[in-house]
Amino acid sequence: MTRAPLTGPPRCADLADADGDAREGTAPPADRWLLIEHAGPWERNALAVFDADVLAALTRWAGRTRGRIVLIRRPGRRTPRGDAPRRWFRVDARPGHEEIRTGEYRGDAELAAVGDLAGHRSDRPLTLVCAHGKHDTCCAIRGRPLAAALAAADPEGTWECSHIGGCRFAPAVVLLPHGFTFGGVGPAEAVSLVRGYARGTLAPDTLRGRSSVPPVVQAAQHHARAATGATGVDDLNPVAYASEDDGVWRVTLTRPECTVLLRERHVTVDRPLTCAARPPGHIRVFDPVEVLTAEGRALR
């Protein structure tokens, strides 16, 4: 992805690009997602738009489901009429349980029960693009043009969203229901990526990981995809993972069957990891040691 020359002080995503930060293993943790349409404006803490009772109910839902709540809006800052119904989506991103359910609400008080409402099932995949500028400037600068490009290709399935994590990898894209998270995606590349996902395939180059599996498994899947060429959305499901000596993890995957050995290390960098942070920053990295077939043959 080609970047325009910098015209001001470097931002967190520019610095991460320059240092070549590893994306794999950085998808935000979430077994389930709750998307709530809200045109904004969004403050730094986006969920602060809700009163205490609604926020408490949403927080309880997130706690019991390992869920993540984000606000969504249509690209282009279109503001719905004050009395118009707004959408919610409840997404199960766990392997083998993928599902999107959706419904409408008119008043914020209705959201207190949204985690228990049946809604109706939707078979249309969703694309989220983080454009939460008050949380991180990079997300607005990089996210909004990307969301506009995706919306031109898929107006119904594309939404801008509030903060999802990993601002230095802006623009961040989440494909639901699987929860695949990508970073540093260009507009033309993103349109192709979304179309491939609808057909059941992934472009792994900018893939940060799947939200419903642990970071070490996300990283293992990345390196297994590179070694085996697997591109299916349901490929390389985790069977087991465990830490061994010297920071090494052993991750067993299936479809195709393979074992990935990774060494975990923690790196201190003399730069901010978000535009609002101050250095130093601290990064967790999973370096590939070996990828083995089911028969123990080394692939890389």
Side-chain angles (χ1 to χ4, degrees), residues 200-224:
T201 62
L202 292 173
D205 290 349
T206 56
L207 180 59
R208 292 170 55 189
R210 182 172 181 170
S211 70
S212 54
V213 300
V216 67
V217 175
Q218 297 174 23
Q221 290 172 328
H222 169 84
H223 293 294

Side-chain angles (χ1 to χ4, degrees), residues 154-220:
D154 181 16
E156 288 303 310
T158 304
W159 298 83
E160 291 184 357
C161 74
S162 59
H163 176 63
I164 62 165
C167 305
R168 74 186 192 275
F169 298 116
V173 176
V174 182
L175 301 181
L176 297 170
H178 287 77
F180 290 115
T181 304
F182 297 79
V185 188
E189 178 187 6
V191 171
S192 176
L193 184 153
V194 170
R195 288 174 176 166
Y197 176 63
R199 296 191 298 267
T201 62
L202 292 173
D205 290 349
T206 56
L207 180 59
R208 292 170 55 189
R210 182 172 181 170
S211 70
S212 54
V213 300
V216 67
V217 175
Q218 297 174 23

